[in-house]
Amino acid sequence: VILCESGAAGGIDIRGTASGTRQVDSLNPLHLVPYVHAVCIAGGSAYGLDASSGVMQFLEEKGIGLEFFVGKVPIVPSANLFDLFFGDAKARPHKEMGYRACQKATDGKVEEGSVGAGTGATVGKVFTVRQAMKGGVGTASEKLHGGVVVGALVVVNSYGDVIDSKTGKILAGARKSPDSREFAETRLVFREGREREASPGQSTTIGVIATDAALTKTEATKVAQMAQDGIARAISPSHTIFDGDVTFALSLGDKRAQLTTIGLVAAELLAEAIIRGVKSAEGFGKIPAWKDR
């Protein structure tokens, strides 16, 4: 959960074809709602969207939300990822988990790897999870010239392989067999027309960009669009019919910076965060992680 208790102008870009979301219409520049108060990311497929109810409860109890005559309504755009093939398919995020996540929120260092929404995340699923590797949560940030900060958080649960954007080498992805550590190279599996097992809706990479630069909802939407380039740099293939890739952007300050600069840095940071998420992940003895190489 990313809390924005004072309200944040937000935007969203959805590139995947199998996304699962809740209340994301509020991020549309034409929507009445001017600010959001949190973003919630959860595993558990569509069941996991229930976690955002706990976020709303937490914010309501603190008197935070959009003012109406009958009270305040917290605005919590949410997205989920499919991880039901990893571990117990009945172990899903729920309302209480969303509430506890708010209680544990911090402005300090963010825990990375196989935690939170990244617990069951996997990457490289062209031959299903049996031949995949472990994904997870990653973060990155940068202070720009002039003092504006841009940060990225991502949950990596991709259908494609995770690529080192600097060397082009695969860091984690589909393996040639369940017992192999040799990469199948998903891009070539498709180009060569080899048989594969897959069905839509089992993969998603979800990113959140946050900055203390002042942005309108339209500008935040543009940043979210540009940030998606980071997914394309670090995952191959990306934005497939099997993925539900979503990127949020949040503006939580009043500093000034060029919109294009924020967007291009956001893309670079999202790619870096994807790599960090994979390198920090734990396989729990079920499938290999990058650490196990």
Side-chain angles (χ1 to χ4, degrees):
V1 175
I2 298 92
L3 292 175
C4 318
E5 296 183 3
S6 60
I12 189 171
D13 188 62
I14 301 175
R15 297 283 175 92
T17 332
S19 59
T21 59
R22 170 175 164 169
Q23 210 171 26
V24 297
D25 285 355
S26 60
L27 296 167
N28 187 313
L30 298 178
H31 197 280
L32 168 71
V33 172
Y35 303 112
V36 301
H37 304 101
V39 169
C40 180
I41 305 171
S45 189
Y47 297 106
L49 292 172
D50 189 42
S52 61
S53 297
V55 182
M56 291 187 70
Q57 179 184 340
F58 176 86
L59 292 168
E60 183 184 25
E61 289 176 359
K62 296 190 70 174
I64 294 169
L66 189 65
E67 185 76 60
F68 289 98
F69 292 111
V70 294
K72 294 184 178 181
V73 179
I75 307 300
V76 185
S78 307
N80 72 272
L81 57 90
F82 189 101
D83 57 5
L84 300 182
F85 286 141
F86 192 86
D88 183 356
K90 297 294 185 180
R92 305 160 183 163
H94 47 69
K95 182 177 179 178
E96 183 183 348
M97 288 184 180
Y99 190 92
R100 291 205 309 265
C102 293
Q103 291 178 313
K104 294 182 178 182
T106 174
D107 59 1
K109 185 178 179 180
V110 177
E111 193 173 359
E112 297 176 285
S114 300
V115 296
T119 303
T122 52
V123 302
K125 294 189 275 282
V126 68
F127 298 122
T128 75
V129 173
R130 291 175 299 171
Q131 290 170 229
M133 289 181 67
K134 196 67 182 65
V137 175
T139 65
S141 65
E142 182 177 333
K143 181 176 284 188
L144 309 182
H145 179 73
V148 166
V149 175
V150 180
L153 181 145
V154 67
V155 185
V156 192
N157 185 58
S158 61
Y159 181 80
D161 304 324
V162 173
I163 310 294
D164 185 325
S165 55
K166 296 180 180 178
T167 67
K169 293 183 179 179
I170 298 175
L171 296 173
R175 296 169 292 120
K176 289 190 173 181
S177 73
D179 300 320
S180 174
R181 295 298 175 90
E182 189 176 355
F183 294 122
E185 196 162 349
T186 301
R187 180 182 65 86
L188 292 182
V189 172
F190 276 89
R191 291 184 68 88
E192 295 170 2
R194 281 183 265 163
E195 288 190 15
R196 56 197 182 276
E197 297 179 50
S199 61
Q202 298 177 8
S203 305
T204 290
T205 296
I206 302 172
V208 180
I209 303 298
T211 180
D212 57 2
L215 301 175
T216 65
K217 289 176 69 175
T218 299
E219 290 170 333
T221 299
K222 189 61 195 174
V223 170
Q225 290 177 346
M226 293 182 70
Q228 287 271 18
D229 290 349
I231 294 179
R233 291 174 192 173
I235 297 174
S236 177
S238 59
H239 307 145
T240 73
I241 63 171
F242 308 108
D243 289 283
D245 298 339
V246 177
T247 299
F248 298 91
L250 301 170
S251 168
L252 300 106
D254 56 6
K255 297 179 181 177
R256 302 307 305 174
Q258 289 285 338
L259 180 63
T260 298
T261 303
I262 296 173
L264 73 87
V265 171
E268 293 172 357
L269 292 174
L270 198 56
E272 180 183 344
I274 289 169
I275 292 170
R276 288 178 61 92
V278 164
K279 287 187 174 182
S280 303
E282 301 284 349
F284 302 115
K286 295 181 178 295
I287 59 173
W290 179 86
K291 292 180 176 181
D292 301 324
R293 69 197 189 286

